[in-house]
Amino acid sequence: KSNSEGFIKLLSLYRKEGSRDKNLSKQLLNFSKNINNDRLRYIYEIIQNADDCEYGKDSPAILLDLSIPRQIRVTYNEIGMTYADIIALTTVGQSNKKNRLKKRLIGEKGIGFKTIFSVCEKVEIYSGCFNFILNDSNFIPKIGEMNVHTTGTTMILHLKENIEENSTETSNSIAKTDE
């Protein structure tokens, strides 16, 4: 646990101080928010990221919970994020998916996940010993609010004020992906 917290703190410091172009993260984040005009693109990206994970012997399973107002909870039973996964998640263009053993991967450019920030103000991520928060203004991770060790990965997306609470459109879109 202490190694994972130390890693998140170092990565946060690097994202704050180590960047040569202090405005680059903001520019990349704005680009990823506006890359597609499909308001529900982030749902597909979340499912795609879950599909691209490694699952060991378990069959992949993903659960999207819309029961809490202005939140979407995404849970999947992957083996858990690695240091490389977190580095890739907190920047653009450094995807580590090309190095995976899995032969069929959908995403590999390191942009898709960031589309969640078109509708979310922040996301809490709990995966194995890692727990951290990303917000919609930069790629700087912060230590998570809950001190938990999980199996698999859980993401809690906090929707922006201007996004309808558990919109019918989002629910219908998710239902269509199950068909």
Side-chain angles (χ1 to χ4, degrees):
K1 182 69 185 167
S2 63
N3 285 345
S4 60
E5 278 189 18
F7 172 75
I8 296 296
K9 287 177 183 175
L10 282 174
L11 183 59
S12 178
L13 181 64
Y14 174 75
R15 295 281 182 252
K16 285 180 192 170
E17 305 298 330
S19 174
R20 292 189 178 146
D21 181 353
K22 301 291 185 205
N23 197 27
L24 183 61
S25 287
K26 192 166 207 89
Q27 292 171 359
L28 293 172
L29 194 56
N30 285 336
F31 172 74
S32 62
K33 287 180 190 178
N34 299 310
I35 193 168
N36 194 308
N37 62 0
D38 181 354
R39 282 180 6 106
L40 298 174
R41 180 71 189 176
Y42 72 100
I43 296 293
Y44 303 114
E45 295 293 346
I46 289 169
I47 293 168
Q48 172 183 307
N49 278 3
D51 184 62
D52 286 348
C53 292
E54 294 184 31
Y55 287 88
K57 296 178 184 175
D58 294 335
S59 295
I62 183 170
L63 172 68
L64 287 105
D65 180 356
L66 302 168
S67 65
I68 300 172
R70 293 192 48 242
Q71 282 188 12
I72 299 174
R73 181 181 291 261
V74 182
T75 304
Y76 44 99
N77 61 333
E78 70 157 323
I79 59 173
M81 288 188 184
T82 65
Y83 294 111
D85 293 331
I86 294 169
I87 290 170
L89 205 61
T90 60
T91 193
V92 172
Q94 293 187 13
S95 175
N96 63 332
K97 292 181 181 180
K98 291 178 184 178
N99 300 328
R100 297 275 168 98
L101 296 175
K102 190 173 177 182
K103 295 195 187 325
R104 186 189 60 78
L105 295 173
I106 301 169
E108 59 183 48
K109 294 167 191 67
I111 296 174
F113 172 78
K114 283 78 170 178
T115 62
I116 68 167
F117 293 116
S118 63
V119 296
C120 296
E121 58 190 16
K122 71 176 181 178
V123 59
E124 297 174 55
I125 301 174
Y126 304 94
S127 184
C129 61
F130 295 105
N131 62 55
F132 59 99
I133 298 169
L134 296 173
N135 67 47
D136 66 348
S137 62
N138 57 46
F139 294 128
I140 301 170
K142 295 175 180 63
I143 300 295
E145 296 167 3
M146 296 189 297
N147 188 6
V148 295
H149 183 91
T150 64
T151 56
T153 295
T154 296
M155 295 186 193
I156 303 171
L157 286 64
H158 296 266
L159 300 177
K160 293 179 179 181
E161 296 268 342
N162 62 345
I163 304 298
E164 283 184 40
E165 294 181 5
N166 296 332
S167 72
T168 303
E169 183 180 10
T170 302
S171 298
N172 289 341
S173 176
I174 292 170
K176 286 179 185 175
T177 61
D178 286 342
E179 294 174 355

